[in-house]
Amino acid sequence: DIQMTQSPSTLSASVGDRVTITCRASQSISSWLAWYQLKPGKAPKLLIYKASSLESGVPSRFSGSGSGTEFTLTISSLQPDDFATYYCQHYNSYSGTFGQGTKLEIK
Amino acid sequence: EVQLVQSGAEVKKPGESLKISCRGSGYNFTIYWIGWARQMPGKGLEWMGIIYPGDSDTRYSPSFQGQVTISADKSISTAYLQWSSLKASDTAMYYCAKTDLSGSYFFDNWGQGTLVTVSS
């Protein structure tokens, strides 16, 4: 099974900061990677798919990059609404392994 | 507008059975895979499995194979997740989500979640 490892587990940042979350796959997954945002009491939200494609309606301050085994989610200028937990996910027709999550906290 | 509406919170005892639901609207339910994910208290998301409502083709994570049953009734645009004998360790939030139509299997729309509490 492919394992997905996110880092850091927790990230403290301030409004306006640029932040990057990393996701590493235990073997090459091409670009089959998505990023989601989770907030308590709300439905999870798709941000990025196919490693770098921005989902419709998602602010352009979110971007994704990478291929193979290393991927990043970058938020260019943090907004108050961005403090949440972020998950990467490798997906294919038979599995959908999530990373362990990164909690983005207000510094 | 695409919506996935899940059934309400459940409180059950160990050994009881349970079936929770996820009703899709605003899109052709038959032709998009629907998946389920678990989030145990204080933990991350876990992919449980997916089902294609058109023909009920179902794929499970090895971690959940034999532990739960995923099904769908395309006539009422509803997917289900069921347990025959709940354990305390099944206490979690469960989310349903639909995939994109492009042939990829990421989840582009999610339900609001169903909280299942199993306690004696």
Short mmCIF file of all heavy atoms in Angstrom, two decimals, chain A residues 10-11 23 30-33 36 54 59 69 87 95 97-98:
data_model
loop_
_atom_site.label_atom_id
_atom_site.label_comp_id
_atom_site.label_asym_id
_atom_site.label_seq_id
_atom_site.Cartn_x
_atom_site.Cartn_y
_atom_site.Cartn_z
N THR A 10 1.49 20.23 12.69
CA THR A 10 0.88 21.49 13.13
C THR A 10 1.73 22.63 12.62
O THR A 10 2.96 22.53 12.60
CB THR A 10 0.79 21.55 14.67
OG1 THR A 10 0.13 20.40 15.16
CG2 THR A 10 0.02 22.78 15.12
N LEU A 11 1.07 23.70 12.23
CA LEU A 11 1.76 24.86 11.71
C LEU A 11 1.13 26.10 12.30
O LEU A 11 -0.09 26.29 12.18
CB LEU A 11 1.66 24.87 10.18
CG LEU A 11 2.31 25.97 9.38
CD1 LEU A 11 3.79 26.06 9.69
CD2 LEU A 11 2.09 25.73 7.89
N CYS A 23 3.60 16.97 1.34
CA CYS A 23 3.03 15.62 1.35
C CYS A 23 3.95 14.72 0.55
O CYS A 23 4.28 15.05 -0.61
CB CYS A 23 1.63 15.66 0.75
SG CYS A 23 0.74 14.09 0.74
N SER A 30 2.60 9.64 -9.66
CA SER A 30 2.41 10.57 -10.78
C SER A 30 1.84 11.88 -10.23
O SER A 30 2.44 12.48 -9.34
CB SER A 30 1.49 9.94 -11.82
OG SER A 30 1.37 10.78 -12.95
N SER A 31 0.71 12.32 -10.72
CA SER A 31 0.08 13.55 -10.21
C SER A 31 -1.27 13.29 -9.58
O SER A 31 -2.10 14.19 -9.45
CB SER A 31 -0.08 14.57 -11.34
OG SER A 31 1.17 14.97 -11.84
N TRP A 32 -1.49 12.05 -9.15
CA TRP A 32 -2.80 11.67 -8.61
C TRP A 32 -2.91 12.07 -7.14
O TRP A 32 -2.94 11.23 -6.24
CB TRP A 32 -3.06 10.18 -8.80
CG TRP A 32 -2.97 9.74 -10.23
CD1 TRP A 32 -2.11 8.82 -10.75
CD2 TRP A 32 -3.73 10.24 -11.33
NE1 TRP A 32 -2.30 8.70 -12.10
CE2 TRP A 32 -3.30 9.56 -12.50
CE3 TRP A 32 -4.77 11.19 -11.48
CZ2 TRP A 32 -3.84 9.79 -13.76
CZ3 TRP A 32 -5.30 11.42 -12.73
CH2 TRP A 32 -4.84 10.73 -13.85
N LEU A 33 -2.95 13.37 -6.91
CA LEU A 33 -2.98 13.89 -5.56
C LEU A 33 -3.97 15.03 -5.45
O LEU A 33 -4.04 15.90 -6.33
CB LEU A 33 -1.60 14.41 -5.14
CG LEU A 33 -1.58 14.80 -3.66
CD1 LEU A 33 -0.98 13.67 -2.82
CD2 LEU A 33 -0.85 16.09 -3.42
N TYR A 36 -7.45 18.80 0.53
CA TYR A 36 -8.74 19.16 1.09
C TYR A 36 -8.55 20.02 2.33
O TYR A 36 -7.54 19.91 3.04
CB TYR A 36 -9.53 17.91 1.50
CG TYR A 36 -9.77 16.93 0.39
CD1 TYR A 36 -8.88 15.89 0.17
CD2 TYR A 36 -10.88 17.03 -0.45
CE1 TYR A 36 -9.08 14.97 -0.85
CE2 TYR A 36 -11.10 16.12 -1.47
CZ TYR A 36 -10.19 15.09 -1.65
OH TYR A 36 -10.40 14.19 -2.68
N LEU A 54 -6.50 23.89 -9.63
CA LEU A 54 -7.30 24.58 -8.62
C LEU A 54 -8.78 24.30 -8.86
O LEU A 54 -9.30 24.53 -9.97
CB LEU A 54 -7.02 26.08 -8.69
CG LEU A 54 -7.61 26.96 -7.59
CD1 LEU A 54 -6.93 26.68 -6.25
CD2 LEU A 54 -7.47 28.44 -7.96
N PRO A 59 -10.07 30.19 -3.83
CA PRO A 59 -9.26 31.40 -4.04
C PRO A 59 -7.89 31.09 -4.62
O PRO A 59 -7.28 30.05 -4.30
CB PRO A 59 -9.14 31.99 -2.64
CG PRO A 59 -10.32 31.47 -1.90
CD PRO A 59 -10.57 30.10 -2.44
N THR A 69 6.72 11.74 -6.00
CA THR A 69 6.60 11.42 -4.58
C THR A 69 6.51 12.64 -3.67
O THR A 69 6.22 12.49 -2.48
CB THR A 69 7.77 10.55 -4.09
OG1 THR A 69 8.98 11.29 -4.27
CG2 THR A 69 7.84 9.23 -4.85
N TYR A 87 -5.58 18.14 4.39
CA TYR A 87 -5.22 16.76 4.12
C TYR A 87 -4.84 16.60 2.65
O TYR A 87 -5.52 17.14 1.76
CB TYR A 87 -6.39 15.81 4.39
CG TYR A 87 -6.74 15.64 5.85
CD1 TYR A 87 -7.61 16.53 6.48
CD2 TYR A 87 -6.19 14.61 6.60
CE1 TYR A 87 -7.93 16.39 7.81
CE2 TYR A 87 -6.49 14.47 7.94
CZ TYR A 87 -7.37 15.36 8.53
OH TYR A 87 -7.68 15.22 9.87
N SER A 95 -8.16 2.87 -4.41
CA SER A 95 -7.81 3.34 -3.07
C SER A 95 -7.75 4.85 -3.05
O SER A 95 -7.76 5.50 -4.10
CB SER A 95 -6.48 2.75 -2.61
OG SER A 95 -5.43 3.26 -3.41
N THR A 97 -5.77 6.92 -0.25
CA THR A 97 -5.05 7.13 1.01
C THR A 97 -4.87 8.60 1.34
O THR A 97 -4.34 9.37 0.53
CB THR A 97 -3.67 6.46 0.94
OG1 THR A 97 -3.82 5.11 0.47
CG2 THR A 97 -3.01 6.46 2.30
N PHE A 98 -5.27 8.97 2.55
CA PHE A 98 -5.07 10.34 3.03
C PHE A 98 -3.77 10.44 3.83
O PHE A 98 -3.34 9.47 4.46
CB PHE A 98 -6.21 10.75 3.96
CG PHE A 98 -7.54 10.94 3.27
CD1 PHE A 98 -8.48 9.92 3.26
CD2 PHE A 98 -7.85 12.13 2.64
CE1 PHE A 98 -9.70 10.08 2.63
CE2 PHE A 98 -9.07 12.30 2.00
CZ PHE A 98 -10.00 11.27 2.00
#
